Amino acid sequence: MEDQQKVQLFERTPVPQAIIKLAVPTILSSLVMVLYNLADTYFVGMLNDPIQNAGVTLAAPVLLAFNAINNLFGVGSSSMMSRALGRKDYDTVARSSALGFYLSLFSGIAFSLLCTVFIGPLLAILGATPETAQATKEYMFWTVTCGATPAILNVVLAYLVRAEGSALHASIGTMSGCLLNIILDPIFILPWGFDMGAAGAGLATFLSNVVACLYFFVLLYVKRKHTSVCVNPKMLSFKKAVIIGICAVGVPAAIQNLLNVTGMTVLNNFTSSFGSDAVAAMGITQKVSMVPMYIAQGISQGIMPLVSYTFASGNIQRMKKTVTFSLRISLSFLVAVTVLYLIFAEGLTRMFMDNEQIIAYGASFLRGMCLAQPFMCVDFLAVGVFQATGMGKHALIFALLRKVVLEIPALFILNWLFPLYGLAYAQPVAEVILAIAAVVTLSHLFKRLETSASVRPKLD
């Protein structure tokens, strides 16, 4: 019965309704994820201590690096699963999910050990100064040393569950951890609670990710006879076709994330040379900018199973309609958010820290960074299509263009021309060029697929 419902959703439900069913839970999950990311900054900001706020900001690249593993095994495995579902190849679905799960588990443990052993050099790379090093180290103890594995498994399991169309369950699991984090943050951070500062924010994050993982484990146990997601070690195998299928999408996605980490580290190092107030302001700006970014990602991730399925089954018109409809929704929303950010930049920054210098920095940074948002959604959607269809090479090219060719060089040039304030405009420069490339590439892709579909019958 449940399998028939999935077929109905992927093959016969009108595209707008299918997108709503798949994307809305993912967007809601993303909104909660936004609140979860803002919570650390907001409650640490209530201490009115730039050093504690800077500690959370400087550790952000390491937490972002978790996504390299999430993308390698979560995006890679989920794309392989959805394409296999489109071909009705259920053995590959089970083997892909099992391999993705166990490699994520082992990688999370290894990541945690390496960061703990090399914490000294890592703090220097992140741009921590003697003033901010202790707060950064305390935050990373809970989020990385203790928390890397549950944080990674939480996201990877959500990808695997979403791959078979269970977007609601994936979102509930993610949201359960995020909501718990928001509740625990003030208790552990603020003076009326445990007064742990940045370390308290890290502890809240660790506990919330553990709870989210428990939800997914219980879900998979309850649905064990009705789900294609498999974490049974008996299904763990290293079949060449499965490994190649996962890595073709996952490796470029992981490299894309590592380049994002590199870009954020370069940005934080430039900013840290202007003092802890500038670092705190940049951290606030990055978190506020995540609100529309996560929603745009939620849309692109939400439709990925439908894009994968329609691509594998040869229904190119349905695939194209899915992408174009999603683009209209995402672009309209992000244009509206950009206008609001330009108008209310000071007020949004003031919500996190009542410090006039930080507010002045933050408002200027936010007005620059928000210009990237409408163009960013086009780029996200294009990369999502590449990942969903197994075109990992295209996703990798876009990642290299964004960071290596465009954004990181722009950081150096703009910081030289307009010290500190020019940093906020590197991302808009990169995203405008990438959006143009995305439109051109997607147009060529659909034209090629339509031509190919016209000369051969659809795949069963």
Side-chain angles (χ1 to χ4, degrees):
M1 178 66 179
E2 192 165 339
D3 288 338
Q4 287 302 313
Q5 290 176 345
K6 293 171 188 173
V7 171
Q8 175 73 21
L9 173 66
F10 286 133
E11 296 183 1
R12 293 185 285 274
T13 302
V15 167
Q17 294 178 28
I19 290 174
I20 289 171
K21 189 164 185 178
L22 287 168
V24 167
T26 311
I27 293 169
L28 292 175
S29 173
S30 296
L31 285 171
V32 175
M33 185 79 74
V34 166
L35 294 176
Y36 150 68
N37 276 281
L38 291 174
D40 284 357
T41 302
Y42 178 76
F43 289 113
V44 173
M46 288 180 68
L47 299 173
N48 211 29
D49 182 353
I51 293 175
Q52 294 293 317
N53 207 291
V56 174
T57 300
L58 292 171
V62 181
L63 274 62
L64 184 62
F66 292 170
N67 287 334
I69 300 172
N70 298 339
N71 289 349
L72 176 56
F73 303 120
V75 175
S77 297
S78 64
S79 175
M80 187 69 173
M81 289 170 65
S82 294
R83 282 179 280 138
L85 283 170
R87 300 190 305 270
K88 309 295 191 293
D89 181 0
Y90 299 110
D91 181 69
T92 297
V93 175
R95 293 185 185 280
S96 298
S97 57
L99 187 62
F101 172 78
Y102 283 104
L103 290 180
S104 299
L105 174 64
F106 299 143
S107 297
I109 294 171
F111 190 103
S112 175
L113 290 172
L114 286 171
C115 288
T116 303
V117 171
F118 298 104
I119 185 65
L122 182 57
L123 288 172
I125 292 171
L126 293 172
T129 64
E131 182 183 32
T132 59
Q134 187 60 32
T136 307
K137 184 176 180 180
E138 290 173 354
Y139 181 70
M140 287 178 60
F141 172 76
W142 290 109
T143 56
V144 181
T145 300
C146 299
T149 302
I152 290 167
L153 286 182
N154 169 19
V155 177
V156 170
L157 285 168
Y159 270 117
L160 301 183
V161 169
R162 191 181 297 119
E164 63 173 355
S166 300
L168 181 60
H169 283 299
S171 299
I172 291 172
T174 303
M175 288 191 290
S176 64
C178 293
L179 290 171
L180 179 61
N181 189 91
I182 294 168
I183 293 169
L184 293 178
D185 260 346
I187 296 172
F188 290 129
I189 294 170
L190 299 178
W192 59 261
F194 289 91
D195 195 21
M196 295 174 66
L203 176 56
T205 300
F206 164 66
L207 293 175
S208 67
N209 283 323
V210 169
V211 169
C213 286
L214 290 175
Y215 172 86
F216 284 117
F217 289 138
V218 172
L219 172 70
L220 294 180
Y221 178 77
V222 172
K223 294 182 63 180
R224 62 191 181 278
K225 295 181 180 179
H226 307 285
T227 179
S228 301
V229 180
C230 177
V231 296
N232 186 338
K234 293 181 180 179
M235 294 300 292
L236 178 61
S237 68
F238 294 89
K239 290 180 65 175
K240 185 177 179 180
V242 174
I243 294 173
I244 291 175
I246 291 173
C247 291
V249 173
V251 169
I255 293 173
Q256 176 185 345
N257 177 259
L258 291 174
L259 292 172
N260 290 339
V261 172
T262 303
M264 182 179 286
T265 304
V266 171
L267 176 61
N268 285 344
N269 273 272
F270 275 131
T271 309
S272 66
S273 65
F274 294 91
S276 59
D277 282 355
V279 174
M282 187 61 77
I284 291 170
T285 300
Q286 289 170 339
K287 292 297 177 69
V288 173
S289 296
M290 284 182 179
V291 176
M293 184 189 77
Y294 269 104
I295 293 173
Q297 283 185 335
I299 294 173
S300 65
Q301 290 175 1
I303 67 169
M304 274 182 65
L306 182 56
V307 173
S308 293
Y309 191 99
T310 51
F311 170 76
S313 61
N315 194 344
I316 304 307
Q317 286 302 315
R318 185 171 173 84
M319 173 188 168
K320 183 178 180 179
K321 190 173 180 180
T322 299
V323 175
T324 54
F325 185 82
S326 301
L327 180 59
R328 289 198 297 271
I329 295 173
S330 187
L331 190 58
S332 300
F333 170 75
L334 286 176
V335 168
V337 171
T338 299
V339 173
L340 291 174
Y341 278 13
L342 288 169
I343 296 171
F344 300 109
E346 285 91 354
L348 289 168
T349 308
R350 192 182 298 275
M351 288 172 58
F352 294 90
M353 190 167 286
D354 191 13
N355 178 305
E356 292 305 318
Q357 183 61 65
I358 291 176
I359 292 169
Y361 281 147
S364 179
F365 297 158
L366 185 56
R367 287 194 175 101
M369 283 190 175
C370 75
L371 298 175
Q373 291 169 1
F375 305 98
M376 190 183 297
C377 77
V378 182
D379 180 28
F380 283 168
L381 197 61
V383 171
V385 171
F386 300 151
Q387 292 172 342
T389 56
M391 298 170 60
K393 186 183 295 184
H394 287 69
L396 177 59
I397 290 171
F398 267 63
L400 292 171
L401 280 174
R402 176 193 280 120
K403 294 297 176 181
V404 178
V405 177
L406 298 171
E407 190 174 320
I408 292 176
L411 286 171
F412 282 89
I413 294 169
L414 291 172
N415 189 58
W416 175 66
L417 293 173
F418 311 102
L420 181 63
Y421 295 98
L423 295 171
Y425 292 87
Q427 190 177 39
V429 168
E431 295 299 338
V432 169
I433 298 171
L434 281 169
I436 296 171
V439 171
V440 172
T441 306
L442 286 178
S443 298
H444 283 301
L445 170 64
F446 284 122
K447 185 176 181 180
R448 177 171 59 81
L449 291 175
E450 286 168 344
T451 301
S452 176
S454 67
V455 297
R456 62 174 173 81
K458 288 183 182 179
L459 297 174
D460 289 332

